[in-house]
Amino acid sequence: MTISIKTTKEIDKMRLAGKLAAEVLEMIEPYVTIGITTDELDQICHDYIVHTQQAIPAPLNYHGFPKSICTSVNHVICHGIPGQKKLKNGDIINIDITVIKDGYHGDTSKMFALGKPSIRAQRLIEISRECLLKGIECVKPGAALGEIGHAIERHASAHHFSVVHEYCGHGIGRAFHEEPQVLHYADKVSSPILEAGMTFTIEPMINVGKRHCKLNQKDGWTVTTKDRSLSSQWEHTLLVTEEGVEVLTRRGEEDDL
Ligand code: MF3
Ligand code: CO
Ligand code: CO
């Protein structure tokens, strides 16, 4: 496995791409309201990325993906395709943004709740964000990549939630998905040691019910929980620094990062 170490120049570009991706999530927040369709959210993000940021929405045409963002509602785990269904009171939605700026990718997602979600849904959203933070806390030079998954799984199972295995975090840079794979669960296989200059995402998908998932055979993209229980995901793009970690996609609201 070869994990690329980014140069200072590349790191500056990753910083900008990460900042832009974070800004799309900040921009879209006031639009995430009851009655809007995920198609409309896609259109607003697309126009903002292309015209305001003069960047490229990475998902559009990525292996044939038809839209500019992913919108994953309720029991959808990830890769939900924006469509004409309206968001309704109590829904939870993950919006996943990836932009390409000057050849480099920034990838980040967060959860939004519409109106009044169930206590269970609120708890899921909160614990899954804590899972991401626990993962980020493991990141520093000399640490093993595998510690991330251990920390995430430990936290999710302490709260009786499950961790999706089939989809992982990933190295990121000039390519959307690079080595390494970043597992969100504990695994026995030996994992690489982190070094300053590595960039990768952590993006745990946490379910209320069982961990198993199902890929929609008709659209080839939408991944749902097999038992149709709720699922929640948060994602950041990270840089390993000499001191520890820099969250390249940090939003202004995240004063805990
Ligand atoms: N943004 C997703 C990730 O975190 C990947 C989406 S691929 C797409 O890796 F084609 F569905 F957009
Ligand atoms: Co990602
Ligand atoms: Co993403």
Side-chain angles (χ1 to χ4, degrees), residues 121-218:
Q122 290 175 37
R123 193 78 184 129
L124 174 68
I125 289 176
E126 189 179 305
I127 298 299
S128 57
R129 181 161 187 277
E130 288 173 10
C131 284
L132 171 58
L133 298 196
K134 298 273 181 199
I136 293 173
E137 280 169 21
C138 297
V139 178
K140 51 173 177 277
L145 185 69
E147 291 172 33
I148 296 168
H150 273 90
I152 290 170
E153 183 169 41
R154 194 181 313 121
H155 194 62
S157 39
H159 294 276
H160 309 287
F161 293 131
S162 66
V163 178
V164 173
H165 285 202
E166 287 80 0
Y167 301 86
C168 339
H170 49 92
I172 182 167
R174 256 193 191 287
F176 197 160
H177 297 103
E178 304 182 346
E179 289 190 75
Q181 289 200 49
V182 181
L183 305 186
H184 302 119
Y185 57 93
D187 193 84
K188 284 174 280 292
V189 306
S190 78
S191 69
I193 301 300
L194 300 181
E195 292 171 40
M198 292 177 174
T199 51
F200 56 84
T201 73
I202 302 180
E203 48 183 299
M205 286 142 272
I206 307 296
N207 300 345
V208 163
K210 296 210 180 347
R211 68 172 179 83
H212 304 96
C213 58
K214 200 168 98 183
L215 174 66
N216 181 317
Q217 296 297 329
K218 280 196 195 130

Side-chain angles (χ1 to χ4, degrees), residues 16-32:
L16 177 57
K19 177 174 179 279
L20 294 180
E23 284 173 357
V24 179
L25 286 178
E26 293 177 325
M27 178 281 300
I28 200 64
E29 175 155 70
Y31 296 98
V32 186

Side-chain angles (χ1 to χ4, degrees), residues 65 70-72 76-81 96 167 221-223 233:
F65 191 79
C70 296
T71 51
S72 302
V76 178
I77 296 172
C78 64
H79 304 166
I81 303 172
D96 193 337
Y167 301 86
W221 284 103
T222 312
V223 180
Q233 178 179 31

